[in-house]
Amino acid sequence: MRLFNTIAPAQPCVGARCARKRLAKSRCDACVKRCPTGALSIHHHEVILAPEHCTGCGICLFICPADALENLVPLARIHREGVLLGPFTQPVAAEELMLWHTQYRIRAVAVDLTRDTLWLRPLAELNLWLKKRGEPGWQCVAVSPAAGESKRRLLRPDGERARVAHDVATRRAAGAFLSAYAVMLDTTRCLLCGACGRACASGAIRFGEQAVAIDTKCCNGCGDCAAVCPVNAVNIAKGEASSVRITLYHARCERCGEPWRTWHPGEKVCPVCQRHGFSMRGG
């Protein structure tokens, strides 16, 4: 008689938090673009993960703006005295390295870039990123049998094994979003319905009674705001942009009699009545 049943581990998958599962108009494809093995793809609008192609590198965990990947954890790596010791066999994201930088104060990596070439670009991206922040870049500590005794002691692989926390809130606090995003709001189309602000979990778009505030530093590029806008007035693009605060004005529609917020002072007809040519909300 079998006393224990063997339980197969849950397969990695894309969960319900994925923007494409929540929003019919979402165009988010961040994880698909960055997956090095093609395990992630888009079929009939949804992101699908093929477990047989997934190597568990975890890059998608550090890219997804919605924490939608399930049954996946970051790779456990070894570090000692501020040096990341490995493993280096899998591809890595610069976003993960930034989290090692902030969470474990890693400042060097013991990788042979002539052999582990997949780490060359992420390290270059990380150091460019750190330079923009005014911080010194990581050093590559050469792995050589001829190194001195002190260096051999530093590089021995008996350090602490750990994983970085990777949820969106942690990444945002650490500034671990490699790309900057510009939030563009077309005020000639916008109805000031506030849907984009309610959909924006990062707080990049905030609607108030007196103004609309757009804080581009908070934007993680998820595109939820653009997906919910009924008039396509919001656009997200990669690139630097300044944060803005746009003043709102209060008015009362002379057709339907309802109050509304407007971009310009002195307006007399609300957007709903303008679109339909007659009172849509009047009693």
Side-chain angles (χ1 to χ4, degrees), residues 85 140-144 146-156:
L85 303 177
C140 284
V141 182
V143 181
S144 172
E149 179 61 28
S150 61
K151 185 173 288 188
R152 285 203 301 271
R153 184 184 66 82
L154 180 67
L155 297 179
R156 65 188 182 187

Side-chain angles (χ1 to χ4, degrees), residues 63 65-66 168 172 177 179 181 201-202 204 216-223:
I63 303 304
V168 169
R172 186 177 298 117
F177 286 98
S179 297
Y181 293 93
S202 66
T216 56
K217 296 189 297 295
C218 294
C219 181
N220 57 26
C222 69

